[in-house]
Amino acid sequence: MSKFTFEEKQLAVKLYLQGTSSEKIIKELKVASHSQLLFWVKQYKEHGSSALREKRSHQEYPYEFKLEVLKWKNANNASYEATALHFGISSSSLVYKWNKQHEQGTLAVPARRGRPRKKDSIPPHQEELIQLRKQNQALLEELNRLKQAQKISGGEMINPTFLILPFKQEKIQELMRNH
């Protein structure tokens, strides 16, 4: 949300154009800086009062449009602010960001929006894989216990439910003595 309403921006611009000093406007309306006030004035002169309205939707600009903006900026040796004003982009910092991304080769890569994922969170399919590996390991351990118990009992069939709990070394030795 913008710090200033449409009406406040419009008032600041009208006062400036009527000859009120920028220092007085900045002080009375608590505008952040002289450059902010001048940007509103330039927006108003270039695109009318509608340019002062808050852009609530985060507009997604197509890759081709971004390239066109940067191409125009370079061809005209224009500043970020002049480029933003020319194309009706609400913030010159957006043009700066596109320029940096273009230099890094990441302009075409769409930015991820929303809350970033936690670093330690595991995708559901990987979590299932981990669970299956744990189950597999537990079954292998149980199979080894059954094989060991079968050796101890001399090949006789024994009740497998008895072997579900892991044996301690002394328990195994006791079974060997009694058999």
Side-chain angles (χ1 to χ4, degrees), residues 116-132:
R117 284 195 275 186
K118 293 180 183 177
K119 296 214 187 270
D120 56 57
S121 71
I122 301 169
H125 68 279
Q126 283 189 345
E127 196 169 311
E128 182 182 15
L129 182 63
I130 291 168
Q131 282 297 106
L132 289 171

Side-chain angles (χ1 to χ4, degrees), residues 150-163:
Q150 193 172 17
K151 276 184 189 176
I152 294 169
S153 67
E156 294 178 22
M157 254 335 236
I158 56 173
N159 184 357
T161 57
F162 175 71
L163 297 170

Side-chain angles (χ1 to χ4, degrees), residues 71-122:
K71 190 175 181 181
W72 184 90
K73 179 194 174 304
N74 292 333
N76 293 292
N77 201 22
S79 67
Y80 295 114
E81 184 178 313
T83 305
L85 285 169
H86 179 77
F87 285 94
I89 299 168
S90 62
S91 173
S92 59
S93 64
L94 192 54
V95 179
Y96 174 80
K97 180 177 146 186
W98 293 346
N99 193 48
K100 285 293 177 198
Q101 288 175 338
H102 185 64
E103 288 172 359
Q104 296 168 351
T106 59
L107 182 63
V109 179
R112 286 193 153 190
R113 295 186 67 182
R115 187 177 187 169
R117 284 195 275 186
K118 293 180 183 177
K119 296 214 187 270
D120 56 57
S121 71
I122 301 169

Side-chain angles (χ1 to χ4, degrees), residues 7-179:
E7 291 78 15
E8 290 170 328
K9 290 178 185 178
Q10 198 171 27
L11 175 62
V13 169
K14 297 273 186 199
L15 289 172
Y16 183 83
L17 293 175
Q18 289 172 357
T20 308
S21 75
S22 58
E23 288 80 20
K24 186 174 181 182
I25 297 169
I26 290 168
K27 184 178 179 183
E28 293 294 320
L29 297 177
K30 298 181 177 132
V31 177
S33 66
H34 183 73
S35 62
Q36 179 66 63
L37 177 61
L38 291 180
F39 186 71
W40 292 342
V41 171
K42 289 175 186 176
Q43 279 183 315
Y44 179 80
K45 285 181 176 179
E46 185 79 23
H47 301 287
S49 62
S50 64
L52 301 175
R53 292 200 182 275
E54 182 181 344
K55 316 288 190 284
R56 287 191 181 246
S57 66
H58 295 283
Q59 185 174 349
E60 297 274 335
Y61 294 98
Y63 176 70
E64 293 77 22
F65 176 75
K66 294 175 186 178
L67 282 181
E68 181 185 338
V69 169
L70 295 175
K71 190 175 181 181
W72 184 90
K73 179 194 174 304
N74 292 333
N76 293 292
N77 201 22
S79 67
Y80 295 114
E81 184 178 313
T83 305
L85 285 169
H86 179 77
F87 285 94
I89 299 168
S90 62
S91 173
S92 59
S93 64
L94 192 54
V95 179
Y96 174 80
K97 180 177 146 186
W98 293 346
N99 193 48
K100 285 293 177 198
Q101 288 175 338
H102 185 64
E103 288 172 359
Q104 296 168 351
T106 59
L107 182 63
V109 179
R112 286 193 153 190
R113 295 186 67 182
R115 187 177 187 169
R117 284 195 275 186
K118 293 180 183 177
K119 296 214 187 270
D120 56 57
S121 71
I122 301 169
H125 68 279
Q126 283 189 345
E127 196 169 311
E128 182 182 15
L129 182 63
I130 291 168
Q131 282 297 106
L132 289 171
R133 286 183 175 160
K134 285 180 182 178
Q135 279 181 335
N136 192 30
Q137 185 62 35
L139 289 170
L140 286 172
E141 288 171 5
E142 185 177 348
L143 180 63
N144 287 335
R145 284 194 302 272
L146 285 170
K147 285 180 180 178
Q148 192 172 15
Q150 193 172 17
K151 276 184 189 176
I152 294 169
S153 67
E156 294 178 22
M157 254 335 236
I158 56 173
N159 184 357
T161 57
F162 175 71
L163 297 170
I164 290 175
L165 297 173
F167 282 103
K168 292 186 177 178
Q169 191 65 29
E170 58 265 6
K171 195 74 161 166
I172 293 172
Q173 289 174 352
E174 181 183 326
L175 282 172
M176 287 175 66
R177 276 184 252 130
N178 291 341
H179 203 19

